[in-house]
Amino acid sequence: MEHMRKSYVLVALFALLLLTDVVIATSDGGKGNGNNGQGNEGQVAKGKGGDDGKGKGNGPKDKEKKDKKEKDEKEKKAKKEKDKKEKEEKEKKEKEKKDKERKEKEKKDKEQSEAAARYRVLSPLRTGQEQAMCQAQGACYYKTLVCPGECPKRKPTKNRNTKGCFIDCTSKCEATCRWRKPNCNGYGSLCYDPRFVGGDGRMFYFHGSKGGNFAIVSDNNLQINAHFIGTRPVGRTRDFTWVQALNVMFETHKLVITANRVTQWDENSDAFTLRFNEELITLPEDEQSEWRVISGQREIVIERTDERNSVRVLVSGLVQMDIRVRPIGKEENRVHNYQLPQDDAFAHLETQFKFLDLSELVEGVLGKTYRADYVSSAKIGVPMPVVGGEDKYQTPSLFSPTCRLCRFKPQEKSLSADI
């Protein structure tokens, strides 16, 4: 009897264990992705879970989505890389094109500048037209060029209202009429309250500061600094400024052109001073007068281009400058509200530069605009687009080649002459 009671107890315990397993199995099956959570051995592959029904699954549809996503990402990446490569190629071609155009222009300018020294002046015709025989090797060699009747002289009197004859012994082989004064709207010009026209043809303003000195151009073999004068009326946040002096530095030399401070402007008096290596240059008061000196392979020529206050400066192989000295007139003072003092006419320089041998890495307020990769930061469509750079191009003095981005290094003077 006791033995049978124990058997009943064991059977009951076994039945309880089976019931417990069924309950647990039913509970776990609800977490799968089978038939309404009740589990189905035939649909295990469609569930999100793994063997225990708890995973996220990896069915055919999910795999298709994943493969498509990876394909789209690869295509997107490939397109992005292709677009980037095409953009780089386009920029490279544009840079090469600009660089080629710049080099061709520099070569042309250099040839035209040097052409002035490659002819021999002959006796003028009976009509008064000057003529010259070209001595440059090439298509124009030994040809005689005659100045046009509209501009019969190379250096006319009353130049202010008359064009001069320009004899070009390069491949053009022609004599043409040109103004012998700066064009403030032309390439490489520096005029007014400093307004520039860069090598890219874009106009911009550079304010600088009263009494400041800035590198206009700084390259391997040339640096041109400018000294600014100015005034700041009450209530203004910046100075009105103008260029009062230029210092052209090359090799071991310094050529300085200065507008003198004058109380009252006099059209009949010169208001500029010229110095070469600190020695005063005197130009006779003759519209056709000129000063020349040869230093090594460079010839420096300064000639009057008007009766007063207008000169052309040439440093062979480097730069040509047309310079004019002018004051701020009473009407100009009134219109712009400069509020200038009565005892200063603020005589300043208007200059147009023609550069003959700039490198690809040229710097300076104006110089950088001649780089093939230059992109102007001046705003388009505004009356006075301003370009900064005071901190990059300011020099300690008019005579210093030092600034943050300056490239020019003066040559050391040879001591052989002193031994």
Side-chain angles (χ1 to χ4, degrees):
M1 195 71 175
E2 183 68 27
H3 177 73
M4 291 180 65
R5 190 180 294 114
K6 288 181 179 179
S7 297
Y8 292 149
V9 170
L10 289 172
V11 171
L13 287 172
F14 182 72
L16 181 62
L17 287 172
L18 287 176
L19 182 61
T20 302
D21 286 342
V22 171
V23 171
I24 292 173
T26 304
S27 177
D28 288 344
K31 295 179 182 179
N33 193 29
N35 188 10
N36 294 325
Q38 294 178 3
N40 190 328
E41 290 181 2
Q43 296 180 356
V44 171
K46 297 181 181 181
K48 293 184 179 179
D51 291 341
D52 59 358
K54 295 181 181 180
K56 293 185 178 179
N58 190 21
K61 290 185 178 179
D62 291 334
K63 189 173 185 301
E64 286 177 8
K65 288 181 180 179
K66 184 179 179 182
D67 291 344
K68 187 175 183 304
K69 184 178 180 182
E70 289 177 353
K71 184 181 178 182
D72 291 344
E73 286 178 352
K74 285 181 181 179
E75 290 178 352
K76 189 176 180 181
K77 185 178 179 181
K79 186 177 183 302
K80 190 175 181 181
E81 289 177 354
K82 183 182 177 182
D83 292 344
K84 183 181 178 183
K85 189 175 180 180
E86 288 178 352
K87 184 180 178 182
E88 288 175 350
E89 286 291 329
K90 185 179 179 181
E91 289 176 349
K92 184 180 178 182
K93 287 181 180 179
E94 288 178 353
K95 183 181 178 181
E96 289 175 350
K97 182 181 177 183
K98 286 183 179 179
D99 192 37
K100 184 180 178 181
E101 290 175 349
R102 181 182 64 82
K103 286 182 178 179
E104 287 176 352
K105 185 176 182 299
E106 286 178 359
K107 183 180 178 181
K108 180 181 175 183
D109 289 345
K110 188 173 183 179
E111 286 180 351
Q112 288 181 343
S113 175
E114 292 176 348
R118 293 187 295 186
Y119 62 77
R120 180 165 57 87
V121 178
L122 305 176
S123 299
L125 301 178
R126 291 182 179 180
T127 57
Q129 293 167 263
E130 293 184 355
Q131 57 180 346
M133 179 181 289
C134 289
Q135 296 179 324
Q137 294 293 331
C140 210
Y141 186 59
Y142 262 81
K143 286 189 177 181
T144 299
L145 301 180
V146 179
C147 292
E150 297 80 6
C151 54
K153 294 184 178 182
R154 292 175 301 119
K155 300 177 182 180
T157 56
K158 307 297 180 184
N159 182 72
R160 189 176 305 172
N161 302 314
T162 308
K163 290 183 178 181
C165 171
F166 179 75
I167 294 175
D168 187 350
C169 287
T170 62
S171 56
K172 284 190 173 182
C173 199
E174 61 183 7
T176 55
C177 299
R178 294 187 183 181
W179 291 111
R180 286 162 50 84
K181 57 185 179 181
N183 175 9
C184 288
N185 294 315
Y187 288 90
S189 60
L190 166 52
C191 303
Y192 317 131
D193 176 10
R195 192 194 79 169
F196 293 77
V197 178
D200 59 348
R202 294 277 296 275
M203 181 271 287
F204 66 93
Y205 286 81
F206 175 83
H207 295 315
S209 59
K210 175 184 176 181
N213 300 282
F214 300 91
I216 302 302
V217 174
S218 185
D219 206 2
N220 300 330
N221 53 10
L222 173 71
Q223 180 151 328
I224 302 175
N225 287 354
H227 177 73
F228 286 31
I229 55 174
T231 182
R232 182 181 296 191
V234 177
R236 282 192 61 84
T237 57
R238 71 162 185 89
D239 299 328
F240 286 117
T241 51
W242 298 269
V243 172
Q244 184 252 347
L246 294 171
N247 179 20
V248 183
M249 293 177 275
F250 59 99
E251 297 170 358
T252 62
H253 307 297
K254 291 182 175 70
L255 176 61
V256 182
I257 305 99
T258 307
N260 302 335
R261 187 185 187 281
V262 292
T263 304
Q264 297 294 328
W265 182 255
D266 183 359
E267 289 282 352
N268 298 315
S269 299
D270 275 329
F272 66 88
T273 301
L274 302 168
R275 292 183 184 276
F276 182 63
N277 294 337
E278 300 183 3
E279 293 186 11
L280 185 66
I281 298 172
T282 302
L283 281 178
E285 293 186 358
D286 176 359
E287 192 172 354
Q288 297 185 351
S289 68
E290 65 179 30
W291 175 91
R292 290 174 179 263
V293 68
I294 295 177
S295 176
Q297 296 182 345
R298 306 287 183 199
E299 182 177 26
I300 300 93
V301 183
I302 303 174
E303 58 177 308
R304 286 188 184 272
T305 52
D306 204 345
E307 295 176 350
R308 300 283 186 276
N309 297 309
S310 186
V311 295
R312 171 171 288 179
V313 177
L314 171 67
V315 180
S316 65
L318 288 179
V319 63
Q320 177 181 291
M321 302 180 291
D322 285 313
I323 304 173
R324 175 173 56 198
V325 184
R326 64 177 295 269
I328 300 297
K330 291 182 178 180
E331 182 63 15
E332 187 177 356
N333 182 31
R334 184 191 67 80
V335 170
H336 294 283
N337 194 29
Y338 290 143
Q339 300 179 34
L340 301 181
Q342 296 293 322
D343 61 347
D344 193 344
F346 274 78
H348 60 281
L349 305 178
E350 290 183 346
T351 309
Q352 186 176 18
F353 300 90
K354 181 182 286 186
F355 301 107
L356 309 176
D357 189 24
L358 295 178
S359 76
E360 296 179 0
L361 300 176
V362 60
E363 284 288 356
V365 178
L366 177 62
K368 65 182 178 183
T369 67
Y370 285 82
R371 294 173 65 149
D373 60 352
Y374 175 72
V375 178
S376 177
S377 61
K379 292 182 179 180
I380 299 175
V382 298
M384 292 183 65
V386 178
V387 169
E390 286 86 348
D391 59 327
K392 299 175 183 177
Y393 301 118
Q394 186 161 19
T395 62
S397 73
L398 179 65
F399 306 98
S400 173
T402 305
C403 74
R404 274 182 57 192
L405 297 183
C406 285
R407 297 177 52 79
F408 178 71
K409 304 293 182 186
Q411 295 180 8
E412 295 184 3
K413 292 184 178 181
S414 174
L415 299 176
S416 59
D418 300 326
I419 296 175

